[in-house]
Amino acid sequence: MPHFHRRFILLLVGFGCAAHAASPPSAPIRIGVIGPFTGPSADFGTPMLNGVKMAVDEINAVGGYLGRSLELVVKDDQANPGIGRSQSQALVNEKVVATIGFCNTGVAMNSLAVFNDAKLPLIVPCATGSPLTSTYPPATSYVFRTSPKDGIQAPFVVDDLLARGWKRVAVLHDATGYGEAGVKDVEKALAARNLKPVYVGRFQLGVKDLTKELSEAKAAGADVIFSYTVGPENAVIARGRQALGWKVPQVGPWTLSFPSFIDGARDAAEGSLVAQSFIAEPSNERRSSFLSNYARKFNTRRIPVPMAAAQAYDATYLLAHAMFNVPNGKLEGPAIKTALEQPKRPYYGVVTTYDRAFSDKDKDAISPNMLVMGVVRNGQITFAYPEDAKRNLFVQRKQ
């Protein structure tokens, strides 16, 4: 376990044990986890789950919460909105104190009301659709997020491509809640620079051929493709562009870091630019410890989607910090919500130092200054710019 986490948890556990030394052992505290652990979205659902498991195992190894272990109640939403809603209701029925989850924006959107109506905190470590944290007024919302929303990813990528001199943008997006919200964020970011896409193509998830859309984008004079979809469909775009002999760059949000894109597109993915909150390089002690512990625990040299794992790991510790700050140990939804919004101390996480991750006015933990531009090189994500690699040596706090 990273020593900075061990010191914090031991301090709290020691305080709790001293205050409750006479109390008998209690039942485990149940925390929900929901995401796509089977099916085409499992490539980022599984590392999300692993990040949560790793954090919970570390916390339990030093006494859990005041001597009570944390117990995960895991539900597979299969990236299906209907299944996601029914499994969300199951978590509420099974008396979890809070839930960490969702990778797919459309699935999450269909389930937000389940948690908000039940007054149970939901921390989203993967799904990035902007509407997730704006559906409810911040003061009454139980929906928190540790992934960078598309409302900051889209302008970050737009600023980068314009700096490179690419101004004729073609946007290709899927018809899911994720793609539909994403294209609006891209158009808004371009409009802020007095630009419009020269072409917008919409397609259904599962499409195998986008030659028509790519040909139309080429005919419109696009000099860059901004894709807003998940891994397999991103790969269809890359392979289709290559087949046309059309040598324009492909850029996008974090989904261009998924194995289903990098492995699926193969050499057609090379050089693609992608927004990232976390790149799997040991740039400081926290990240080095996280990466080595993950590799050892899950017996792998490569995290399929590092952002999913790191953001979920941090989300779990943020929840644990909040739980320790609930008065009298009464872990009820409104009390945990208040504790998340009013942290007593920073949490030194893997992605960033969360000085004030959330408030009653802001439910997104990640700010634009934390993003870096990644690039696909030799089947891996690395820093697109040397200056970002240097900047990453210093933790960027929320602005």
Side-chain angles (χ1 to χ4, degrees):
M1 174 191 298
H3 72 268
F4 45 87
H5 289 145
R6 181 180 291 274
R7 284 202 305 268
F8 178 80
I9 295 298
L10 283 174
L11 175 65
L12 291 176
V13 170
F15 174 81
C17 289
H20 296 266
S23 300
S26 300
I29 295 167
R30 313 190 87 194
I31 296 173
V33 186
I34 185 168
F37 308 130
T38 59
S41 291
D43 59 351
F44 61 123
T46 298
M48 181 200 84
L49 176 59
N50 286 347
V52 176
K53 285 180 175 178
M54 193 161 84
V56 165
D57 286 350
E58 290 173 0
I59 295 167
N60 283 339
V62 291
Y65 173 81
L66 305 181
R68 297 172 65 184
S69 63
L70 306 184
E71 177 183 273
L72 296 179
V73 182
V74 180
K75 301 294 183 183
D76 182 3
D77 64 32
Q78 301 175 44
N80 181 299
I83 294 173
R85 189 177 181 92
S86 64
Q87 294 288 46
S88 296
Q89 188 59 57
L91 287 172
V92 173
N93 295 342
E94 293 184 41
K95 307 298 182 184
V96 299
V97 300
T99 291
I100 299 167
F102 294 113
C103 289
N104 306 88
T105 295
V107 180
M109 285 298 295
N110 200 44
S111 299
L112 295 185
V114 173
F115 296 99
N116 226 65
D117 290 351
K119 295 185 180 345
L120 281 178
L122 168 69
I123 305 180
V124 180
C126 285
T128 57
S130 296
L132 291 177
T133 45
S134 61
T135 297
Y136 298 101
T140 60
S141 177
Y142 281 75
V143 182
F144 301 80
R145 176 161 48 189
T146 58
S147 56
K149 67 179 181 180
D150 293 322
I152 66 172
Q153 286 194 70
F156 175 79
V157 176
V158 165
D159 286 348
D160 185 77
L161 63 87
L162 293 179
R164 292 170 180 263
W166 304 325
K167 296 183 178 181
R168 298 184 61 79
V169 183
V171 184
L172 294 179
H173 70 96
D174 65 42
T176 67
Y178 173 68
E180 297 286 10
V183 69
K184 291 178 182 177
D185 285 322
V186 175
E187 289 174 333
K188 181 178 178 181
L190 286 170
R193 305 293 291 268
N194 297 314
L195 294 171
K196 292 181 179 180
V198 298
Y199 177 81
V200 176
R202 181 177 185 269
F203 55 85
Q204 297 298 319
L205 211 61
V207 67
K208 303 300 182 184
D209 185 358
L210 288 167
T211 301
K212 174 180 176 293
E213 289 81 358
L214 287 163
S215 297
E216 291 172 349
K218 183 179 180 181
D223 56 14
V224 61
I225 300 171
F226 199 135
S227 56
Y228 240 102
T229 184
V230 288
E233 287 71 24
N234 275 319
V236 172
I237 293 169
R239 292 195 303 269
R241 174 187 52 75
Q242 186 182 60
L244 288 173
W246 187 24
K247 296 182 179 181
V248 294
Q250 185 172 349
V251 303
W254 77 303
T255 52
L256 287 181
S257 69
F258 292 7
S260 49
F261 170 64
I262 296 173
D263 298 340
R266 300 180 296 279
D267 60 324
E270 193 72 9
S272 297
L273 296 166
V274 51
Q276 297 279 273
S277 69
F278 173 78
I279 289 178
E281 295 187 13
S283 53
N284 61 37
E285 180 188 2
R286 303 179 213 169
R287 291 167 184 158
S288 178
S289 179
F290 171 78
L291 292 170
S292 61
N293 288 344
Y294 188 103
R296 183 166 54 252
K297 183 175 183 65
F298 300 107
N299 192 29
T300 181
R301 293 184 178 181
R302 178 189 181 191
I303 305 176
V305 182
M307 275 177 62
Q311 290 166 178
Y313 180 86
D314 282 355
T316 309
Y317 268 102
L318 285 168
L319 175 59
H321 280 221
M323 288 164 53
F324 278 113
N325 289 329
V326 170
N328 304 315
K330 293 184 178 179
L331 299 179
E332 298 172 347
I336 296 174
K337 172 183 180 291
T338 298
L340 283 165
E341 295 169 345
Q342 300 174 10
K344 296 185 182 300
R345 59 185 61 81
Y347 161 56
Y348 299 94
V350 174
V351 174
T352 185
T353 293
Y354 301 87
D355 201 357
R356 192 170 176 81
F358 309 115
S359 71
D360 61 354
K361 298 179 177 62
D362 182 8
K363 296 299 192 289
D364 282 290
I366 304 299
S367 55
N369 64 299
M370 298 177 190
L371 297 180
V372 295
M373 186 59 71
V375 62
V376 180
R377 287 198 186 123
N378 301 317
Q380 302 285 339
I381 299 292
T382 188
F383 293 98
Y385 302 113
E387 55 268 34
D388 272 353
K390 292 179 181 178
R391 187 171 67 93
N392 202 52
L393 295 172
F394 305 94
V395 175
Q396 305 298 313
R397 298 196 181 203
K398 187 173 182 178
Q399 294 181 355

